[in-house]
């Protein structure tokens, strides 16, 4: 038996990989030995910082701009991954947007924009993923623990994430026989710009006190869950939504 390590790395595509949970996930998967394609929507500078952090630590990464809801741009994203690294093994779809307001007051244009990214974006990325993934691959979508909490103001966002969960559970069954797992991670309140923006200190403190662990989650907490699902230890977890929220009911 040879002790030589394979020359072709496992490859991960991480959407929304320039900031927050996506960036932490990209860096964690790079430490796990993946070559990482960091997708971003518009902030080239932040994406380049993610790539620089990975390469300075000895990993392999490249940044690629694509609108996750545009099927042509997402196809080009996967083309770049295959051309540069030889294929794709794991897709982490962390890109998403969140707009909050009571249902009665919600701006319908904002609803359409959010659903375009969160619902259509998930559909488009997952569609390319299952067409491209090599055997033994994994798709990891992002939902939210807010679905089970029924918090006023979150109706539109929760609806979009409910759609993500439905797609995830069905897709896991549609890829039967291909040795591909499909799961979703549903973070609770996590200290990212997406969560913190627009909230006062009292609101943040109240939400941090909700879990029995009495703190907000961190991007590193969530990246660890993704790492588990992307790695060999997570291969028997399939068609599930993992609620990584510190114990919020």
């Amino acid at each position: 038996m040879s002790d030589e390590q394979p020359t072709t790395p496992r490859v991960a595509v991480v959407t929304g990989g320039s900031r927050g949970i996506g960036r932490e996930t990209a860096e964690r998967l790079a430490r796990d030995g993946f070559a990482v394609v960091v997708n971003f929507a518009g902030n080239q500078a932040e994406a380049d910082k993610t790539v620089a952090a990975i390469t300075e630590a000895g990993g392999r990464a490249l940044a690629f701009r694509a609108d996750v809801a545009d099927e042509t741009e997402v196809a080009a994203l996967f083309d770049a991954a295959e051309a540069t690294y030889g294929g794709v093994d794991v897709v982490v779809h962390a890109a998403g947007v969140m707009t909050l307001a009571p249902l009665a007051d919600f701006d319908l244009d904002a609803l359409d924009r959010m659903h375009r990214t969160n619902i259509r974006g998930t559909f488009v990325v997952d569609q390319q993923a299952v067409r491209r993934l090599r055997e033994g691959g994994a798709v990891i979508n992002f939902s939210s623990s807010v679905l089970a909490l029924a918090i006023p103001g979150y109706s539109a966002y929760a609806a979009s994430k409910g759609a993500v969960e439905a797609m995830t559970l069905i897709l896991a069954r549609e890829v039967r026989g291909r040795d591909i797992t499909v799961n979703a991670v549903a973070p609770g309140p996590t200290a990212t710009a997406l969560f913190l923006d627009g909230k006062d200190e009292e609101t943040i403190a109240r939400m941090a006190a909700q879990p029995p662990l009495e703190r907000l989650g961190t991007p590193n907490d969530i990246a660890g869950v993704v790492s588990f699902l992307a790695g060999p230890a997570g291969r028997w977890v399939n068609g599930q939504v993992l609620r990584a929220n510190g114990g919020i009911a």
Side-chain angles (χ1 to χ4, degrees):
M1 182 180 293
S2 173
D3 291 331
E4 292 182 6
Q5 296 296 314
T7 56
T8 302
R10 295 194 79 210
V11 180
V13 171
V14 181
T15 70
S18 63
R19 294 189 296 172
I21 291 172
R23 175 173 180 168
E24 192 70 35
T25 294
E27 294 185 18
R28 173 61 185 266
L29 292 180
R31 292 195 297 272
D32 291 345
F34 285 85
V36 182
V37 180
V38 178
N39 161 252
F40 66 99
N43 197 325
Q44 177 83 52
E46 289 299 318
D48 288 344
K49 288 179 183 178
T50 305
V51 169
I54 291 171
T55 55
E56 287 169 6
R60 285 173 279 191
L62 66 88
F64 194 93
R65 196 206 71 78
D67 173 358
V68 295
D70 185 309
E71 63 271 30
T72 302
E73 293 186 10
V74 172
L77 166 66
F78 280 79
D79 288 344
E82 291 173 346
T84 305
Y85 297 121
V88 180
D89 300 285
V90 170
V91 173
V92 181
H93 180 46
V97 297
M98 181 171 65
T99 303
L100 303 179
L103 187 148
D105 304 324
F106 207 93
D107 179 78
L108 293 181
D109 287 338
L111 177 72
D112 290 343
R113 288 192 298 271
M114 184 163 59
H115 282 198
R116 183 179 187 278
T117 298
N118 294 359
I119 298 178
R120 181 185 169 94
T122 300
F123 198 99
V124 169
V125 170
D126 283 8
Q127 188 173 68
Q128 285 296 317
V130 297
R131 291 174 178 175
R132 310 278 194 124
L133 281 180
R134 295 186 283 210
E135 184 175 332
V139 177
I140 303 162
N141 291 323
F142 266 78
S143 180
S144 171
S145 285
V146 77
L147 263 69
L149 301 179
I151 302 172
Y154 281 79
S155 58
Y157 179 71
S160 73
K161 292 303 184 178
V164 170
E165 293 194 7
M167 282 186 270
T168 299
L169 302 186
I170 293 169
L171 185 58
R173 288 148 181 82
E174 290 182 346
V175 294
R176 172 185 289 271
R178 292 184 54 193
D179 192 25
I180 291 172
T181 62
V182 185
N183 295 288
V185 178
T190 305
T192 66
L194 182 68
F195 170 76
L196 296 173
D197 285 353
K199 294 183 176 68
D200 58 35
E201 291 185 8
E202 181 182 352
T203 299
I204 293 170
R206 184 177 68 253
M207 297 185 79
Q210 285 183 319
L213 297 178
E214 295 186 322
R215 66 172 176 85
L216 294 177
T218 68
N220 187 58
D221 291 326
I222 309 306
V225 177
V226 175
S227 172
F228 166 71
L229 292 173
R235 292 304 300 168
W236 196 233
V237 181
N238 188 32
Q240 304 297 317
V241 179
L242 274 65
R243 304 206 179 281
N245 59 25
I248 297 175

